[in-house]
Amino acid sequence: AGGDMDRYGEQISMVLCYMWGSFMASVINPFAKPYRLEPLYGPTFMIGGLCLLGSSLLSAFEAPSRYIFYLASAANGVQNGVASIYSANLIRCSMTGVVTDIALTMGQLVRGNKTQLWKGWILSIIFSLFWVGGVISFYSTHRFLSYALLFNAGLFLLIGASLVYFLVREVGVTVEAALFGTWKWKQVLGQIRTNLTDAVENDDIEEDDDGDEESKRARATVKLIQLFDRIDADGSGAIDADELLSALLEAKVKMKPYQIRTLFYTADEDNDGVISRKEWENLIFKMMDGENQKGTKSSFFRRRSRRNQ
């Protein structure tokens, strides 16, 4: 700050505002899992949009510039905070980090390693949009002056609204639940579990003498796990989206298209486009035992596994 303590204080305040934005992103999404859409991502982006809207309004009314930059810094903190949470810090927000990772992905691809190709595409999109945004901001600030921040505010709010629309259309939650983040993946999977259980309830499977709720749930778990072999028509040991859709339609499972898509993408943990047997089992345990069980096998299933060994 060249010895100017007032300017130094403003710069420190901007850093703190940026940290506040990232802090709020983590407070709102404290237990977010990498590469999974969380209920409160949409509202979080909307908070960032409101910060930018406030910044643009202050700019339009010619308020002191430091307050304008404080709100803009907070919005950037929200944005980068969500990006880091979603990617578990694997997708960097600095351009030097992005360019480095793109080059690494290209080098691996040349040698035949395609495992990180998806990440390379994402980073390339981020890199391209960064420069597109820079060009747009350059011309908008010269043409619209103090109103230029309205474009950023609108973009943040559009992202939040797009997430709400996606959740309503693809996940099947209500507009209110999507807007305020009150839905839970457990609820979504619970409805899918009910539909799948109804579809296999007439299967011929060995019954256990124990008729309590735990054994009933465990028997349903076994049936659902065995459903994998029925869906895996070609015996490849993995289920693709077409096999899953065809099998569920043939079995007349009462599931809407968005529920089938949710089922597939939730099960495909490594994002390779197919569901392995292990991934299918993990999904079934999660649905049947609940998230508080952390996907552990019930005692009934453990007894059955030991019996078959």
Side-chain angles (χ1 to χ4, degrees):
D4 188 339
M5 295 307 297
D6 289 337
R7 185 180 176 187
Y8 177 75
E10 290 181 8
Q11 292 176 345
I12 292 297
S13 297
M14 280 194 289
V15 172
L16 292 176
C17 287
Y18 180 93
M19 292 178 63
W20 178 86
S22 298
F23 172 78
M24 290 304 300
S26 63
V27 167
I28 297 173
N29 305 277
F31 302 107
K33 295 183 179 180
Y35 302 105
R36 189 180 78 169
L37 187 61
E38 295 295 330
L40 289 171
Y41 278 167
T44 304
F45 268 108
M46 289 186 177
I47 290 175
L50 291 175
C51 289
L52 277 174
L53 180 61
S55 178
S56 62
L57 291 175
L58 289 177
S59 177
F61 288 103
E62 299 182 353
S65 60
R66 59 180 178 275
Y67 300 119
I68 299 171
F69 286 111
Y70 292 164
L71 286 175
S73 297
N76 286 330
V78 170
Q79 168 200 336
N80 286 343
V82 172
S84 294
I85 293 172
Y86 176 78
S87 64
N89 297 313
L90 293 178
I91 295 180
R92 311 186 203 183
C93 297
S94 67
M95 284 301 101
T96 54
V98 168
V99 173
T100 299
D101 287 350
I102 290 175
L104 291 174
T105 303
M106 292 175 62
Q108 294 172 348
L109 182 62
V110 169
R111 297 301 303 274
N113 183 358
K114 300 181 180 180
T115 58
Q116 297 298 314
L117 184 59
W118 63 271
K119 183 179 178 181
W121 279 114
I122 294 175
L123 292 174
S124 298
I125 293 172
I126 290 175
F127 181 78
S128 300
L129 292 179
F130 177 86
W131 286 106
V132 170
V135 172
I136 293 175
S137 65
F138 174 81
Y139 285 102
S140 63
T141 51
H142 282 74
R143 181 175 178 81
F144 300 101
L145 300 177
S146 59
Y147 295 97
L149 283 173
L150 285 172
F151 290 94
N152 284 351
L155 179 60
F156 267 66
L157 293 174
L158 179 62
I159 292 174
S162 298
L163 286 173
V164 171
Y165 174 78
F166 175 83
L167 292 172
V168 172
R169 177 178 174 81
E170 299 294 328
V171 183
V173 302
T174 64
V175 174
E176 180 182 1
L179 188 60
F180 294 101
T182 55
W183 65 279
K184 302 293 182 184
W185 277 113
K186 185 178 180 180
Q187 297 170 347
V188 175
L189 292 178
Q191 182 59 49
I192 296 176
R193 176 194 64 200
T194 300
N195 295 335
L196 283 175
T197 302
D198 291 343
V200 299
E201 63 181 357
N202 295 323
D203 283 357
D204 183 17
I205 189 169
E206 176 187 355
E207 297 291 335
D208 193 273
D209 294 333
D210 187 0
D212 59 17
E213 289 299 321
E214 180 189 359
S215 64
K216 292 178 181 178
R217 185 175 66 249
R219 283 194 292 269
T221 302
V222 173
K223 292 180 181 180
L224 290 173
I225 291 176
Q226 292 177 342
L227 184 62
F228 180 92
D229 294 322
R230 291 168 51 184
I231 298 176
D232 184 20
D234 58 4
S236 64
I239 300 171
D240 60 28
D242 291 336
E243 285 180 319
L244 179 63
L245 177 61
S246 299
L248 294 181
L249 291 177
E250 182 180 350
K252 298 182 179 180
V253 178
K254 297 179 180 179
M255 291 177 63
K256 298 180 179 179
Y258 70 78
Q259 290 179 314
I260 297 177
R261 289 194 295 270
T262 299
L263 177 67
F264 184 85
Y265 290 120
T266 302
D268 185 16
E269 297 175 352
D270 57 5
N271 299 311
D272 62 351
V274 295
I275 303 173
S276 66
R277 178 179 293 277
K278 181 61 177 178
E279 289 174 331
W280 180 262
E281 290 182 358
N282 290 342
L283 174 67
I284 298 304
F285 291 140
K286 183 186 297 184
M287 289 196 300
M288 300 303 294
D289 289 343
E291 291 185 356
N292 60 325
Q293 300 289 333
K294 297 182 180 179
T296 56
K297 299 180 181 180
S298 65
S299 58
F300 173 87
F301 188 79
R302 288 194 296 269
R303 294 199 302 270
R304 179 178 292 276
S305 298
R306 288 196 298 268
R307 185 186 309 165
N308 294 333
Q309 289 178 351

